[in-house]
Amino acid sequence: MLSVNPIKRDIIVNPAYFGMCEFIEQLPNNFDTLDDAVLLHEGRNVVKLFEVDGQQFVAKNFNRISHINRFVYGSLRSSKAMRSYYNAMRLRSMEVDTPEPVAAIDIYRGRRLTWSCYLSRYSDYSALKIDDGSLQQSDIASLLDAL
């Protein structure tokens, strides 16, 4: 029997992490119960730190997707997870020191995005604060133009 709302998965994996494909494919099923995960943030999005084969990773689940955005990201625009992955790859290609992207996962039911997650290597970098005076306005503009 043909399902009216088939489930579709879009997964992109950094070639350096193909060895983690099984873990990555199971992440949507296991995100809530990751063993020994440290909850770094819980709000509109959920961010968890965890270890796989001795390496530390961070997963950001874009948890609360509005009904309108479920359709927009399912039909008209790339998800935040996919944009995060591609933006990180682009920044790294420009030698901007940003955590290494590992994967992006989107789950769709029909044409609606229902689950979205970005996975990167963990970094203990402090957050970039644009208002702390450490960047010149021209530096900010060139970074934003590049994206």
Side-chain angles (χ1 to χ4, degrees), residues 87-105:
N87 286 340
M89 290 296 263
R90 180 130 189 233
L91 286 169
R92 290 180 67 83
S93 76
M94 296 167 32
E95 299 183 13
V96 174
D97 200 10
T98 191
E100 186 174 16
V102 174
I105 308 164

Side-chain angles (χ1 to χ4, degrees), residues 7-11 25 28 105-109 112-116:
I7 294 176
K8 175 183 146 200
R9 292 175 179 241
D10 283 347
I11 301 175
E25 288 173 355
I105 308 164
D106 288 337
I107 308 292
Y108 298 89
R109 183 171 295 279
R112 293 177 301 123
L113 180 65
T114 59
W115 197 86
S116 187

Side-chain angles (χ1 to χ4, degrees), residues 3-119:
S3 175
V4 176
N5 289 316
I7 294 176
K8 175 183 146 200
R9 292 175 179 241
D10 283 347
I11 301 175
I12 185 152
V13 178
N14 182 331
Y17 295 93
F18 279 166
M20 290 180 57
C21 280
E22 185 176 332
F23 173 84
I24 292 166
E25 288 173 355
Q26 291 302 314
L27 193 58
N29 300 325
N30 301 332
F31 184 82
D32 291 333
T33 59
L34 282 172
D35 291 336
D36 300 321
V38 176
L39 182 64
L40 298 178
H41 177 78
E42 186 169 23
R44 187 180 75 206
N45 303 313
V46 176
V47 181
K48 291 185 176 184
L49 168 66
F50 56 93
E51 200 170 290
V52 176
D53 296 331
Q55 298 182 63
Q56 290 187 308
F57 298 92
V58 173
K60 181 174 186 177
N61 178 5
F62 298 92
N63 203 20
R64 297 188 181 140
I65 307 167
S66 73
H67 291 292
I68 291 171
N69 282 342
R70 287 179 190 273
F71 175 76
V72 169
Y73 293 137
S75 303
L76 305 172
R77 182 172 190 190
S78 296
S79 72
K80 288 182 180 181
M82 291 294 172
R83 290 193 321 255
S84 296
Y85 178 88
Y86 287 116
N87 286 340
M89 290 296 263
R90 180 130 189 233
L91 286 169
R92 290 180 67 83
S93 76
M94 296 167 32
E95 299 183 13
V96 174
D97 200 10
T98 191
E100 186 174 16
V102 174
I105 308 164
D106 288 337
I107 308 292
Y108 298 89
R109 183 171 295 279
R111 298 183 74 180
R112 293 177 301 123
L113 180 65
T114 59
W115 197 86
S116 187
C117 186
Y118 171 65
L119 180 65

